């Protein structure tokens, strides 16, 4: 069997094959993983790999995050195989299995110990939550938008010890979870959000997780659409950047709608297409860009990203990030804060202006007529 472990120094899965391998395997640059989906359909995935010398010995190290390997294997655990493509043939493949360390970390004892409990029908249909720190009017806009879809009583805000008074301005029906002051660490954020989602799924059929500057929409009624959607973990298939046309559009008025004030929509980055519409436990990775569980795309849904929708907002956001502290882990894995901290005030202004100019130069995306009316 091919034994899968996690090396936390490299933050990668490591693989040790049982059987002796020919030299050509050690020179391979790709591994081929074979599994079967829940529908019993074959799934093949090629993943880049390096054969590396580690403290514990030489191992194959796939150059992808461990959760992708785990998610693939867990679809068909006990039967998933990994091997090599040699001269076009799938060879030297072995069944994958995990070390005890991986199994212990992958299992949720709380879920196992309560799995026999027959819970009553969930009283809530859809909850939406976000995490915030000094988002000002943007947080209020997020609340207004999602309250119009699911109601204030179904909104939840993880507050990272904001000091700008924005949380105090929220509707009394919106639930706020106050967190202690701590340096920025997106891995810890993802962990906290995962625990909150698990809690909310005890009471709601669906839980949507967004940043404060993300608007998820569909043509019909959101709650009714999800009521007719099979259970699962989904991501919107289309991501849109809303861009401030500085020459022709005024500063954004938060009392109005985005669609009535902004007309330049471009294709959003692939990192916005992430698992955020869920009826099942979701184990997000740093930045929420992916999850341990394999998501599906939910047709008809669009996520609108408002990072570039107002020049003043973007400037204030970049200034805020430049003033924040971060853990050593965050410094190593995300350069956003450290990059901005190296800039002076004028340079941050120029940086923000260039970000919007770069997005304005992108080709506009063709969108359905209902989209601008919804946001």
């Amino acid at each position: 069997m091919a034994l899968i472990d996690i090396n936390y120094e490299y933050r990668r899965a490591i693989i040790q094959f049982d059987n002796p391998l020919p030299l050509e395997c050690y020179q391979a640059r790709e591994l081929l993983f074979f599994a079967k989906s829940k529908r019993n359909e074959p799934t093949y995935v090629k993943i880049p790999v390096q054969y590396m010398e580690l403290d514990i010995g030489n191992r194959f190290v796939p150059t992808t995050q461990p959760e992708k390997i785990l998610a693939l294997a867990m679809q068909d655990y006990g039967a998933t195989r990994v091997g090599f493509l040699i001269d076009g043939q799938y060879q030297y493949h072995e069944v994958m299995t995990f070390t005890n360390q991986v199994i212990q970390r992958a299992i949720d004892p709380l879920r196992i110990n309560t799995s026999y409990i027959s819970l009553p029908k969930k009283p809530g249909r859809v909850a939406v939550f976000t995490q915030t720190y000094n988002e000002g009017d943007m947080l209020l806009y997020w609340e207004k938008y999602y309250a119009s879809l699911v109601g204030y009583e179904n909104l939840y805000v993880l507050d990272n010890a904001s000091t700008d008074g924005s949380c105090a301005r929220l509707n009394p029906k919106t639930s706020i979870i106050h967190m202690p002051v701590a340096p920025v660490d997106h891995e810890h954020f993802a962990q906290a959000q995962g625990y909150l989602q698990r809690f909310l799924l005890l009471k709601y059929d669906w839980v949507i997780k967004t940043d404060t500057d993300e608007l998820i929409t569909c043509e019909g009624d959101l709650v009714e659409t999800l009521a007719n959607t099979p259970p699962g973990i989904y991501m919107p298939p289309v991501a849109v950047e809303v861009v401030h046309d500085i020459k022709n559009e005024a500063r954004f008025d938060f009392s109005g709608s985005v669609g009535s004030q902004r007309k330049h929509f471009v294709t959003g980055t692939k990192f916005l297409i992430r698992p955020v519409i869920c009826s099942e436990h979701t184990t997000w990775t740093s930045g929420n860009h992916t999850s341990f569980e394999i998501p599906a795309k939910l047709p008809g849904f669009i996520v609108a990203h408002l990072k570039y929708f107002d020049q003043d907002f973007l400037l204030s956001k970049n200034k805020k990030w430049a003033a924040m502290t971060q853990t050593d882990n965050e410094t190593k894995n995300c350069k956003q804060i450290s990059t901005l901290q190296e800039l002076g005030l004028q340079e941050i202004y120029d940086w923000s202006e260039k970000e919007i100019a770069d997005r304005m130069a992108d080709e506009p995306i063709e969108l359905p007529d209902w989209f601008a009316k919804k946001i």
Side-chain angles (χ1 to χ4, degrees):
M1 288 191 173
L3 187 64
I4 311 293
D5 201 354
I6 304 293
N7 184 289
Y8 290 98
E9 178 182 355
Y10 289 95
R11 306 173 66 79
R12 293 288 185 268
I14 57 176
I15 303 178
Q16 182 178 12
F17 286 82
D18 253 356
N19 298 316
L21 298 171
L23 180 62
E24 55 191 347
C25 290
Y26 297 104
Q27 296 172 340
R29 291 293 175 263
E30 285 184 325
L31 290 178
L32 181 66
F33 293 79
F34 169 78
K36 287 188 176 179
S37 69
K38 293 179 180 178
R39 299 176 181 174
N40 207 35
E41 298 169 341
T43 302
Y44 301 88
V45 179
K46 286 184 182 179
I47 294 180
V49 68
Q50 295 181 19
Y51 188 65
M52 298 178 63
E53 181 179 340
L54 306 177
D55 293 340
I56 58 173
N58 293 354
R59 298 287 189 273
F60 289 94
V61 182
T63 54
T64 189
Q65 295 293 339
E67 67 273 1
K68 293 185 179 180
I69 307 293
L70 297 175
L72 178 68
M74 293 305 289
Q75 286 187 101
D76 195 20
Y77 187 57
T80 303
R81 305 185 72 88
V82 57
F84 303 85
L85 272 180
I86 306 293
D87 296 328
Q89 299 293 317
Y90 185 39
Q91 302 182 50
Y92 312 110
H93 46 84
E94 299 179 10
V95 172
M96 292 172 57
T97 188
F98 299 133
T99 63
N100 286 340
Q101 174 184 233
V102 175
I103 294 295
Q104 288 167 359
R105 286 176 175 262
I107 288 175
D108 182 351
L110 181 62
R111 190 174 182 183
I112 290 175
N113 291 333
T114 59
S115 62
Y116 62 89
I117 297 174
S118 179
L119 294 173
K121 180 176 174 60
K122 296 178 182 179
R125 300 181 71 183
V126 181
V128 183
F129 79 92
T130 192
Q131 187 162 337
T132 184
Y133 172 71
N134 287 356
E135 291 288 346
D137 288 334
M138 188 73 255
L139 177 63
L140 277 294
Y141 193 85
W142 175 91
E143 181 194 44
K144 180 176 70 172
Y145 176 78
Y146 285 104
S148 71
L149 302 179
V150 303
Y152 289 103
E153 65 277 11
N154 300 309
L155 301 183
Y156 296 82
V157 175
L158 274 172
D159 174 29
N160 272 3
S162 294
T163 59
D164 67 347
S166 54
C167 287
R169 297 164 57 198
L170 293 171
N171 189 287
K173 293 182 180 179
T174 297
S175 297
I176 307 171
I177 300 96
H178 294 288
M179 301 170 68
V181 178
V184 173
D185 190 299
H186 279 89
E187 289 197 357
H188 284 173
F189 290 169
Q191 188 176 30
Q193 292 160 8
Y195 284 129
L196 177 59
Q197 188 229 32
R198 281 157 169 72
F199 165 72
L200 292 174
L201 281 173
L202 292 173
K203 298 296 182 182
Y204 289 91
D205 295 325
W206 292 90
V207 174
I208 297 174
K209 188 271 167 193
T210 78
D211 288 347
T212 55
D213 59 358
E214 292 175 342
L215 309 180
I216 291 176
T217 188
C218 62
E219 182 175 8
D221 180 85
L222 176 73
V223 175
E224 293 303 323
T225 300
L226 291 179
N228 294 303
T229 299
I233 298 172
Y234 295 102
M235 50 191 179
V238 177
V240 176
E241 297 283 5
V242 181
V243 189
H244 185 185
D245 182 354
I246 300 169
K247 294 181 180 178
N248 300 302
E249 294 172 343
R251 179 180 181 179
F252 187 75
D253 178 0
F254 281 93
S255 67
S257 69
V258 172
S260 65
Q261 299 179 63
R262 296 292 181 259
K263 304 301 179 186
H264 195 78
F265 307 130
V266 302
T267 301
T269 170
K270 63 180 181 180
F271 295 116
L272 293 171
I273 299 176
R274 51 192 182 181
V276 292
I277 307 168
C278 314
S279 66
E280 300 173 359
H281 291 180
T282 310
T283 312
W284 288 293
T285 59
S286 179
N288 303 111
H289 299 308
T290 186
S291 63
F292 171 85
E293 303 80 6
I294 296 179
K297 292 182 178 179
L298 189 55
F301 277 74
I302 299 175
V303 57
H305 190 211
L306 306 187
K307 179 178 180 180
Y308 310 106
F309 86 127
D310 186 76
Q311 184 180 36
D312 290 341
F313 169 76
L314 179 59
L315 176 60
S316 67
K317 194 177 186 74
N318 284 337
K319 287 165 63 178
K320 179 184 72 175
W321 280 102
M324 298 173 87
T325 58
Q326 57 188 334
T327 64
D328 292 340
N329 176 62
E330 182 77 7
T331 303
K332 182 171 65 175
N333 294 294
C334 181
K335 304 300 181 185
Q336 179 178 11
I337 292 178
S338 55
T339 298
L340 288 169
Q341 286 176 336
E342 295 173 357
L343 305 178
L345 184 59
Q346 182 60 47
E347 290 173 310
I348 292 176
Y349 180 89
D350 294 340
W351 176 286
S352 305
E353 193 174 56
K354 184 178 184 303
E355 284 188 293
I356 290 181
D358 288 344
R359 296 288 77 77
M360 277 297 299
D362 291 342
E363 190 72 23
I365 185 174
E366 190 170 326
L367 293 164
D369 293 339
W370 56 261
F371 172 72
K373 298 175 184 176
K374 283 279 189 169
I375 62 168

